[in-house]
Amino acid sequence: MQQDIQKNEIKSRIPFRLDRLPFSRWHVLVVIALGFTWILDGLEVTMVGVIGSVLISPKTLDFTSAEVGFVATAYLIGAVIGSVFFAELTDIHGRKKLFMVTLSVYILGTVFTAFSFNFPSFFLFRFITGLGIGGEYAAINSAIDELMPSKYRGRIDLAINGSWWVGTIVGSIGSLYLLNTSIFPINLGWRLSFAIGAILAIAVLLIRRYVPESPRWLLMHGKLDEAREITTNIEDTVSKSTGKDLEQVSRYITIKPQRRIRAKEIVDTLFKKYPKRTVLGLSLMAGQAFLYNAIFFTYALVLKVFYGIPSDEIGYFIIPFAVGNFVGPLVLGKLFDTRGRKLMISFTYIFSGALLMLTAYLFYIGVLNAVTQTLLWSIIFFFASAGASSAYLTVSEVFPVEMRAMAIAVFYSIGTGIGGVLAPSLFGILIASKSPFSLSMGYLLGASLMVISGIVEIFLGVKAEKKSLEDVARPLTAEDIESYNKEPVNYNNEEAN
């Protein structure tokens, strides 16, 4: 019978048992099942960005340039609301239940978008899709960080968030065919892209059934038996697949579980216990959100309006841009675990911001063309992508497990509200002005925010590399974290006193 403890103390080694595991095929399965959503999101957002130049055609939905920007804003508003709404449910009811629900909402929104018939309907359906993806950010990042070994947490988190750009590459290649009017009618190809994305998402939903609930979440909610059973199964699977004997663990944590953390306790934790971490999280999230949402959501319009690139050729330019964004976190990710969070986060933010300032100037004086603009952006976002991914890593690991999903949602929502919701609409207006000076000023604003965020990281960053999540941020329900003095350890003796 499930042991469900509310008031008694629990002594358990479960968090440290998970942290000392070697990386294995089981972890790869978790990464694929949970991280694949980022690929789907990248696929969909890319298609929306590319079809922006298609949707302004009278033969489709006859959008204005400003309306294309507002469509991106609708998606982000939905994501902000969805992240907060589903995050609270994720912390209360568990990671697994919610990452199944949020992906289902995402699928519905994607299917509806394919049947949009005017601007209001497209706006509404993109909002619904955003609700799902906002919930995904909180549920998925929480589950991944709590299941991955501490030694590899940084590089895995960056790789998963960076995989968003795999979807971008696929979407860019697909656009070359789906938006080719010699293959599909102009008002059909863009609709098919959303249908394809929904079908792939359904396949991912089926795979997710095999991902277990986070033992850390179960432990903090008093479900010791279930947490211990899942952890033991994970250990057996990892040991068999790697052929390695697992080292003994002597550390344990003592907690007093409770079902729900009160709103006041969350606020106190953010602004009284960890005020510096709160400033850090807001800065990192706002900086990267403004930069990415400003540039990428309007990339197709820039290529068309300023460089005269036809809609069916835009995909050729987005592919190298996406490759730089994907390769960056893969190449640099290991350094976030070995050289440290503070050094790498500050470097990627400041360096990418400085490069964008240079690019903005070159754009203003008119020495760039579509090829050189894309090349420079590819180099910039090689570094910016790793930095942006580390923002999600930071807000996920520097706050206690009981409020991890809500912390992610709060910072994602505020950062996106400040930097994301405003940026696409602002840049849509700047592009519509057809003024190189006005657009270059917008780029300088995004670059400045990145540099400022990097400086904040230098002073307020947290050294979380290779540390257990419980050491980075002690659980709110924790009484103590200690070590047993006697060996060997018998895991079956974990107690509920």
Side-chain angles (χ1 to χ4, degrees), residues 254-266:
T254 303
I255 63 171
K256 286 186 176 181
Q258 62 186 76
R259 277 295 183 200
R260 186 172 182 175
I261 302 300
R262 294 172 298 175
K264 182 180 183 302
E265 194 166 4
I266 293 176

Side-chain angles (χ1 to χ4, degrees), residues 91-119:
D91 282 334
I92 296 174
H93 300 292
R95 313 318 190 198
K96 182 168 184 174
K97 288 181 181 178
L98 268 297
F99 65 58
M100 298 295 284
V101 171
T102 53
L103 184 56
S104 298
V105 173
Y106 176 82
I107 291 171
L108 289 175
T110 301
V111 171
F112 290 156
T113 303
F115 295 95
S116 300
F117 49 89
N118 56 18
F119 174 71

Side-chain angles (χ1 to χ4, degrees), residues 266-321:
I266 293 176
V267 173
D268 287 345
T269 301
L270 291 175
F271 297 102
K272 292 184 179 180
K273 187 174 184 179
Y274 295 119
K276 293 181 179 179
R277 296 185 182 189
T278 298
V279 172
L280 173 67
L282 290 175
S283 176
L284 295 179
M285 292 297 285
Q288 65 84 27
F290 188 95
L291 182 74
Y292 268 95
N293 292 311
I295 291 180
F296 187 65
F297 275 125
T298 56
Y299 191 12
L301 287 176
V302 171
L303 292 173
K304 184 169 184 176
V305 173
F306 289 93
Y307 298 115
I309 304 300
S311 299
D312 59 355
E313 295 181 11
I314 288 175
Y316 290 115
F317 295 89
I318 292 183
I319 290 173
F321 178 75

Side-chain angles (χ1 to χ4, degrees), residues 246-415:
L246 303 180
E247 61 185 68
Q248 297 292 332
V249 177
S250 60
R251 298 190 72 199
Y252 70 92
I253 185 171
T254 303
I255 63 171
K256 286 186 176 181
Q258 62 186 76
R259 277 295 183 200
R260 186 172 182 175
I261 302 300
R262 294 172 298 175
K264 182 180 183 302
E265 194 166 4
I266 293 176
V267 173
D268 287 345
T269 301
L270 291 175
F271 297 102
K272 292 184 179 180
K273 187 174 184 179
Y274 295 119
K276 293 181 179 179
R277 296 185 182 189
T278 298
V279 172
L280 173 67
L282 290 175
S283 176
L284 295 179
M285 292 297 285
Q288 65 84 27
F290 188 95
L291 182 74
Y292 268 95
N293 292 311
I295 291 180
F296 187 65
F297 275 125
T298 56
Y299 191 12
L301 287 176
V302 171
L303 292 173
K304 184 169 184 176
V305 173
F306 289 93
Y307 298 115
I309 304 300
S311 299
D312 59 355
E313 295 181 11
I314 288 175
Y316 290 115
F317 295 89
I318 292 183
I319 290 173
F321 178 75
V323 169
N325 276 276
F326 175 58
V327 174
L330 289 183
V331 173
L332 302 176
K334 183 178 180 180
L335 298 177
F336 284 75
D337 284 324
T338 57
R339 299 302 298 273
R341 306 285 200 260
K342 292 184 69 172
L343 173 64
M344 292 307 301
I345 294 175
S346 59
F347 167 72
T348 52
Y349 268 76
I350 294 174
F351 190 65
S352 60
L355 287 179
L356 182 58
M357 289 179 180
L358 174 61
T359 302
Y361 174 72
L362 295 176
F363 173 79
Y364 166 63
I365 64 177
V367 300
L368 299 179
N369 56 36
V371 174
T372 54
Q373 176 88 64
T374 299
L375 177 61
L376 286 172
W377 277 354
S378 298
I379 296 172
I380 292 169
F381 284 90
F382 174 90
F383 297 98
S385 181
S389 297
S390 69
Y392 292 96
L393 169 66
T394 298
V395 299
S396 175
E397 64 184 1
V398 301
F399 293 99
V401 60
E402 297 93 339
M403 54 174 285
R404 177 161 290 120
M406 181 55 72
I408 295 170
V410 167
F411 290 103
Y412 170 78
S413 299
I414 297 177

Side-chain angles (χ1 to χ4, degrees), residues 195-210:
I196 293 172
I199 293 172
L200 293 174
I202 291 172
V204 175
L205 189 66
L206 296 176
I207 297 174
R208 283 191 179 179
R209 296 181 302 166
Y210 301 100

Side-chain angles (χ1 to χ4, degrees), residues 20-264:
R20 65 61 156 107
L21 294 175
F23 194 72
S24 67
R25 288 196 297 268
W26 182 84
H27 293 102
V28 173
L29 173 64
V30 173
V31 168
I32 292 173
L34 299 183
F36 201 84
T37 296
W38 269 235
I39 297 178
L40 295 174
D41 184 39
L43 169 64
E44 181 174 335
V45 171
T46 299
M47 291 306 302
V48 172
V50 173
I51 68 175
S53 57
V54 174
L55 297 178
I56 63 178
S57 170
K59 296 180 180 180
T60 57
L61 300 183
D62 197 21
F63 286 179
T64 65
S65 295
E67 284 176 335
V68 172
F70 287 131
V71 163
T73 299
Y75 180 81
L76 292 170
I77 292 174
V80 167
I81 296 174
S83 66
V84 175
F85 176 74
F86 288 116
E88 182 177 14
L89 298 179
T90 298
D91 282 334
I92 296 174
H93 300 292
R95 313 318 190 198
K96 182 168 184 174
K97 288 181 181 178
L98 268 297
F99 65 58
M100 298 295 284
V101 171
T102 53
L103 184 56
S104 298
V105 173
Y106 176 82
I107 291 171
L108 289 175
T110 301
V111 171
F112 290 156
T113 303
F115 295 95
S116 300
F117 49 89
N118 56 18
F119 174 71
S121 65
F122 200 98
F123 188 96
L124 174 61
F125 299 149
R126 292 304 294 164
F127 171 80
I128 294 174
T129 308
L131 289 175
I133 199 60
E136 284 278 287
Y137 278 121
I140 298 304
N141 278 298
S142 298
I144 289 173
D145 284 351
E146 291 171 11
L147 290 172
M148 292 298 121
S150 58
K151 181 179 179 180
Y152 304 96
R153 188 172 64 242
R155 71 196 76 176
I156 292 172
D157 205 274
L158 262 67
I160 289 175
N161 282 283
S163 69
W164 191 92
W165 295 97
V166 174
T168 300
I169 295 171
V170 174
S172 300
I173 295 174
S175 70
L176 299 177
Y177 296 93
L178 293 171
L179 301 184
N180 189 331
T181 54
S182 64
I183 300 176
F184 297 101
I186 190 172
N187 202 29
L188 176 61
W190 68 268
R191 297 181 187 274
L192 291 177
S193 65
F194 292 109
I196 293 172
I199 293 172
L200 293 174
I202 291 172
V204 175
L205 189 66
L206 296 176
I207 297 174
R208 283 191 179 179
R209 296 181 302 166
Y210 301 100
V211 177
E213 178 58 86
S214 164
R216 280 182 159 99
W217 181 88
L218 290 168
L219 182 65
M220 297 304 161
H221 287 74
K223 298 181 179 293
L224 178 60
D225 288 348
E226 188 176 347
R228 185 163 49 197
E229 179 183 0
I230 291 175
T231 302
T232 300
N233 290 338
I234 293 173
E235 289 174 328
D236 291 342
T237 301
V238 170
S239 181
K240 290 177 182 178
S241 66
T242 61
K244 298 179 180 179
D245 292 328
L246 303 180
E247 61 185 68
Q248 297 292 332
V249 177
S250 60
R251 298 190 72 199
Y252 70 92
I253 185 171
T254 303
I255 63 171
K256 286 186 176 181
Q258 62 186 76
R259 277 295 183 200
R260 186 172 182 175
I261 302 300
R262 294 172 298 175
K264 182 180 183 302

